[in-house]
């Protein structure tokens, strides 16, 4: 059931209120930038990547966000906290624009932090959230996938949960040669546009073993039943406790749906994807875009004939 705040407010109050954001990874692909800075704090234009994720959760009506972090992640806590001295300085100068920018992260939702302890995998990170989440359905948002703020993917997933119960994963069709980078879903149609029943899931299959080209992208709405399954899920691919493996068990019981997404998704997971994301989002910014795009066109023009641009497709879909 979706209960609107009031007729004048657009963000619905939902039965799903909590989001879990796993953020304990070491960020080794971005060393040395991530030696002392969490990868989630790398700027995408002028906001850390993780802020986009929390904004997405808040826009879908989720007002409680639990970060599952690890060592060296204090900067994430600080970012979503008040910054008294900075705020005072900006207030004294009357710089309300920057003051709002500094205050916004802490206002987005009630933000909590726990530590994963041992990096035993995504499934284990989600299990760490059990006590905080309790016996309620909840969302999981992975920080490497940014969904364009104009998209309504998470809201659609929450609607599917409200209608069908069980768990919901976000799926995106990817080229065959990319499926080994993702969890992959076997699906059946439901008769509902953009909604499928998930009959099986496999983590990072080879293209020969993949049951489809539907990749699980990093958005989930999970039934609390997943916790009992995760408790007994053995380490799988890469020796890690995989969320995909726990969802495979739930899918066998017929309680997992997929929402098919074909909108704008940006991948910040590796360096080239990250650069594409920054360029794309910078172009979209009303304050930066026009000037930046003019320069970019000139720059791309200067590359013409140099052979650059032939690999513009990238490793994953995304940016
Ligand atoms: C994780 C999940 C995988 C999913 C992917 C989405 O993998 O294990 O099932 O498809 O996120 O980005 P990772 O990319 O963290 O290795």
């Amino acid at each position: 059931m979706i209960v609107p705040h009031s007729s004048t407010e657009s963000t619905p109050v939902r039965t799903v209120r909590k989001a879990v954001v796993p953020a304990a990874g070491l960020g080794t692909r971005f060393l040395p930038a991530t030696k002392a800075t969490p990868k989630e704090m790398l700027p995408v234009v002028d906001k850390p990547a993780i802020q986009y994720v929390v904004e997405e959760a808040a826009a879908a009506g989720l007002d409680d966000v639990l970060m599952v972090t690890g060592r060296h992640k204090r900067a994430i806590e600080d970012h979503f906290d008040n910054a008294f001295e900075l705020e005072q300085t900006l207030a004294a100068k009357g710089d309300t624009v920057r003051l709002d920018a500094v205050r916004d992260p802490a206002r987005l939702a009630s933000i909590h932090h726990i530590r994963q302890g041992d990096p035993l995998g995504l499934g284990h990170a989600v299990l760490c959230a059990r006590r905080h989440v309790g016996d309620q359905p909840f969302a999981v948002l992975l920080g490497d996938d940014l969904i364009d703020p104009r998209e309504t993917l998470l809201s659609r997933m929450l609607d599917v949960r409200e209608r069908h119960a069980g768990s919901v994963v976000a799926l995106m069709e990817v080229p065959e040669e990319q499926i080994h980078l993702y969890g992959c879903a076997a699906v059946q149609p439901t008769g509902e546009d953009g909604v499928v029943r998930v009959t099986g899931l496999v983590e990072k299959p080879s293209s020969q073993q993949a049951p489809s080209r539907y990749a699980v992208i990093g958005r989930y709405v999970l039934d609390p039943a997943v916790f009992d399954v995760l408790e007994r899920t053995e380490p799988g691919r890469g020796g890690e406790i995989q969320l995909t493996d726990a969802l495979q068990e739930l899918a066998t019981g017929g309680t997992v749906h997929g929402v098919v997404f074909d909108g704008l998704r940006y991948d910040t997971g590796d360096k080239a994807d990250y650069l594409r994301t920054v360029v794309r989002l910078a172009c979209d910014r009303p304050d930066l875009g026009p000037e930046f795009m003019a320069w970019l066109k000139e720059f791309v023009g200067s590359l013409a004939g140099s052979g650059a641009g032939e690999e513009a497709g990238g490793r994953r879909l995304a940016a």
Side-chain angles (χ1 to χ4, degrees):
M1 183 183 53
I2 302 170
V3 187
H5 276 296
S6 75
S7 55
T8 53
E9 284 177 357
S10 56
T11 310
V13 175
R14 295 184 177 275
T15 50
V16 179
R17 303 294 293 274
K18 292 182 180 171
V20 174
V21 179
L26 293 175
T28 48
R29 282 189 280 185
F30 283 88
L31 284 169
T34 47
K35 183 179 174 191
T37 303
K39 72 167 175 170
E40 294 79 8
M41 290 299 294
L42 293 179
V44 175
V45 188
D46 54 6
K47 280 191 286 194
I50 200 163
Q51 187 174 333
Y52 290 84
V53 173
V54 175
E55 285 173 352
E56 182 190 339
L62 308 180
D63 55 12
D64 181 299
V65 176
L66 177 71
M67 310 273 179
V68 184
T69 64
R71 279 161 55 77
H72 308 306
K73 300 283 182 167
R74 280 282 301 279
I76 299 178
E77 287 177 37
D78 289 344
H79 185 72
F80 290 100
D81 195 3
N82 296 324
F84 184 69
E85 276 184 349
L86 188 54
E87 287 175 34
Q88 266 205 330
T89 309
L90 292 168
K93 283 186 189 162
D95 189 343
T96 53
V97 173
R98 289 196 177 91
L99 186 58
D100 276 341
V102 166
R103 285 181 171 161
D104 280 348
R107 291 169 174 161
L108 286 169
S110 165
I111 313 251
H112 309 266
H113 306 267
I114 53 161
R115 290 197 172 200
Q116 190 177 358
D118 296 319
L120 300 179
L122 177 59
H124 178 254
V126 171
L127 188 53
C128 290
R130 182 171 202 166
R131 187 181 290 248
H132 181 86
V133 165
D135 198 24
Q136 296 295 320
F138 61 104
V140 174
L141 292 86
L142 305 188
D144 284 351
D145 291 295
L146 299 189
I147 304 296
D148 192 281
R150 292 162 289 196
E151 303 286 357
T152 55
L153 171 64
L154 191 54
S155 293
R156 281 173 58 209
M157 295 173 72
L158 292 166
D159 290 345
V160 170
R161 157 71 204 191
E162 308 270 355
R163 284 202 306 281
H164 295 284
S167 296
V168 186
V169 296
L171 299 175
M172 197 161 188
E173 257 189 296
V174 300
E176 197 183 307
E177 64 275 15
Q178 292 181 11
I179 199 72
H180 70 280
L181 299 166
Y182 298 93
C184 176
V187 302
Q188 280 174 356
T190 57
E192 212 178 309
D193 203 21
V195 181
V196 290
R197 181 177 292 282
V198 175
T199 57
L201 283 154
V202 48
E203 179 68 4
K204 303 198 174 102
S206 65
S207 55
Q208 295 80 21
Q209 287 165 337
S212 75
R213 291 203 286 116
Y214 282 115
V216 176
I217 54 171
R219 298 294 178 272
Y220 308 79
V221 176
L222 299 178
D223 189 87
V226 76
F227 291 129
D228 280 346
V229 181
L230 281 168
E231 294 275 10
R232 57 172 188 270
T233 299
E234 297 286 334
R237 206 180 159 85
E240 297 189 341
I241 298 171
Q242 298 290 351
L243 181 58
T244 305
D245 294 345
L247 289 172
Q248 154 64 14
E249 185 174 325
L250 295 176
T252 312
T255 60
V256 180
H257 284 82
V259 168
V260 178
F261 181 66
D262 61 1
L264 291 169
R265 163 180 169 263
Y266 313 107
D267 187 339
T268 57
D270 75 10
K271 286 178 209 173
D273 290 329
Y274 170 78
L275 292 174
R276 290 185 194 104
T277 303
V278 174
V279 170
R280 282 285 296 263
L281 291 178
C283 289
D284 281 343
R285 282 273 297 258
D287 54 339
L288 291 168
E291 198 184 326
F292 181 62
M293 278 190 287
W295 171 82
L296 191 60
K297 278 181 196 156
E298 210 179 292
F299 179 62
V300 172
S302 76
L303 297 177
S306 69
E310 281 163 15
E311 293 185 17
R315 186 177 61 87
R316 290 188 178 187
L317 274 185

